[in-house]
Amino acid sequence: MKKIDAYDDYILKIKDLVTEIKIPGQIIKPVEIENFLIPEGKIVGLAGESGSGKTMTAYSILDLFPTTAARVREGQILFKDKDLRGLSGNSLRKIRGQEIGMVFQDFSKIFNPVIKIGKQLKEELTAHGIKNQQERIARALDEVGLARDVADRYPHGLSGGMLQRVGIVAALICNPSLVIADEPTTALDVTIQAQILDLLKDLQAEKDFSLLLITHDLGVIADICDYVYIMYTGKIVEVGDVYEIYEAPKHPYTKGLLKGAFSMQGEEKSIKRPIKGSIPSLSELPQGCRFHPRCPEVMERCREQEPPFFNQEVACWLYEN
Ligand code: SF4
């Protein structure tokens, strides 16, 4: 597969994005992304440990921060070559839902528990001026393998797996060209996880939308993604096509994540080997390479100087030449 930066058309291009959060006495930066690309019709993963800035990246794209203390400070978020940062609140709301759909981790917190599913879906269609709502909802429920009478039920009457399917309906019902799925299977048990992933993969192939899949689980990325970005403390440390990265990871952090997910032969391990130590607090980042306190290949200069992104592939001094 060609390199991610070798396409003609991208649904999303992020450039020099900095997101900041004000905390007492300090400003922290949960996202600092120089380059991030999603080619049209491709599935791109964003992976890293919990706390690496993945979800904040999604919030930054959609301006959906859960707190007013967070904001995008600088950079461009080009969706179909239009900078989302330059749009008014109304224009951005129209794009959210209609052109960019979002699948959340846990829809029990997203749907209103006292309003029937069908009514909530109709509200979304009305907000985007879409008619033939009854028929559209019925068809969308068919597509995710749910009975049509689910529309007459309340969210609390559905299992986690059913609710996640309804969440996928909500994300796709306006036929968006980009879907962002943030840990869409994390809250589910293993069997249901596989079903939801297969469903997302099938729907993406059928409808040809681009998909950004955010997950800490590299097994999930391996199952359905074309490309993967690896994120650590808000920065991208490696990017590449999934096959190449899983065959020959470059960044020591990526190697560590993969060892925690697979054996060297690619078979799932019963005993996983996590990376030593833990992700540092954004308010106390180490000098030099942010990964150096945990890196098994650390060199002297790593403690002093932060590595740039070499060859549009990896941010690590080992690849300087
Ligand atoms: Fe490890 Fe140095 Fe590479 Fe950072 S720059 S990942 S510390 S080898």
Side-chain angles (χ1 to χ4, degrees):
M1 190 175 289
K2 58 184 168 183
K3 286 182 75 171
I4 198 167
D5 57 358
Y7 284 83
D8 293 328
D9 297 310
Y10 295 92
I11 192 90
L12 189 79
K13 288 190 246 178
I14 295 177
K15 286 197 174 304
D16 301 320
L17 177 71
V18 177
T19 298
E20 63 179 25
I21 304 179
K22 279 188 189 152
I23 58 172
Q26 204 182 354
I27 291 177
I28 55 170
K29 295 179 194 160
V31 180
E32 295 174 79
I33 293 180
E34 281 176 35
N35 263 308
F36 189 95
L37 299 166
I38 302 185
E40 296 263 9
K42 296 291 178 196
I43 306 183
V44 174
L46 177 58
E49 291 164 292
S50 185
S52 57
K54 309 182 299 295
T55 296
M56 283 303 281
T57 302
Y59 290 159
S60 303
I61 295 168
L62 294 168
D63 193 19
L64 267 184
F65 297 110
T67 161
T68 52
R71 66 169 189 135
V72 172
R73 194 184 77 187
E74 58 194 57
Q76 287 183 313
I77 301 166
L78 300 169
F79 173 69
K80 297 182 178 174
D81 292 325
K82 194 188 296 172
D83 193 351
L84 297 180
R85 290 195 64 212
L87 298 182
S88 67
N90 265 347
S91 305
L92 191 56
R93 265 190 293 280
K94 270 191 196 147
I95 286 182
R96 280 200 303 253
Q98 187 148 7
E99 294 196 61
I100 305 178
M102 180 94 191
V103 178
F104 295 92
Q105 178 176 341
D106 184 358
F107 276 95
S108 62
K109 295 183 186 128
I110 303 292
F111 287 117
N112 187 327
V114 295
I115 299 178
K116 286 181 179 171
I117 293 292
K119 189 162 183 225
Q120 296 193 54
L121 294 173
K122 278 183 185 169
E123 281 169 5
E124 187 180 341
L125 291 170
T126 303
H128 295 294
I130 294 172
K131 306 218 173 351
N132 296 330
Q133 298 181 348
Q134 200 80 22
E135 189 194 321
R136 195 144 178 165
I137 291 169
R139 216 175 43 227
L141 289 170
D142 290 346
E143 282 171 355
V144 301
L146 289 173
R148 293 184 172 194
D149 65 7
V150 164
D152 299 321
R153 294 168 67 177
Y154 291 96
H156 62 78
L158 303 179
S159 68
M162 287 171 84
L163 205 53
Q164 205 63 3
R165 283 172 193 262
V166 176
I168 291 172
V169 167
L172 301 187
I173 200 157
C174 298
N175 279 334
S177 39
L178 171 65
V179 174
I180 300 176
D182 184 13
E183 301 277 7
T185 58
T186 303
L188 306 170
D189 70 47
V190 177
T191 320
I192 309 293
Q193 275 183 14
Q195 291 172 8
I196 295 291
L197 271 187
D198 284 347
L199 176 63
L200 268 177
K201 195 171 165 181
D202 291 347
L203 288 170
Q204 189 275 336
E206 191 186 314
K207 295 174 181 285
D208 203 29
F209 52 80
S210 310
L211 175 62
L212 169 58
L213 179 68
I214 294 173
T215 178
H216 67 282
D217 186 339
L218 286 173
V220 167
I221 299 270
D223 275 346
I224 76 166
C225 291
D226 300 303
Y227 295 96
V228 61
Y229 283 86
I230 306 292
M231 193 171 210
Y232 187 72
T233 59
K235 293 201 166 194
I236 301 300
V237 296
E238 185 163 5
V239 58
D241 97 52
V242 166
Y243 183 79
E244 281 180 12
I245 286 209
Y246 282 58
E247 276 296 297
K250 291 188 171 69
H251 199 283
Y253 180 56
T254 313
K255 291 179 194 168
L257 288 177
L258 284 168
K259 275 186 196 158
F262 300 100
S263 73
M264 297 312 282
Q265 288 75 38
E267 294 161 1
E268 268 191 286
K269 282 173 73 73
S270 51
I271 301 171
K272 296 182 176 179
R273 288 174 285 166
I275 305 164
K276 73 165 188 180
S278 55
I279 201 161
S281 157
L282 289 173
S283 55
E284 290 171 356
L285 287 170
Q287 202 188 333
C289 172
R290 295 176 176 188
F291 186 60
H292 88 252
R294 306 173 73 190
C295 181
E297 299 177 64
V298 62
M299 303 170 287
E300 207 40 54
R301 77 182 301 186
C302 308
R303 301 179 211 277
E304 305 294 331
Q305 291 173 275
E306 188 166 11
F309 215 72
F310 292 110
N311 196 27
Q312 298 303 313
E313 281 180 339
V314 61
C316 171
W317 287 120
L318 294 170
Y319 299 91
E320 187 178 9
N321 300 312

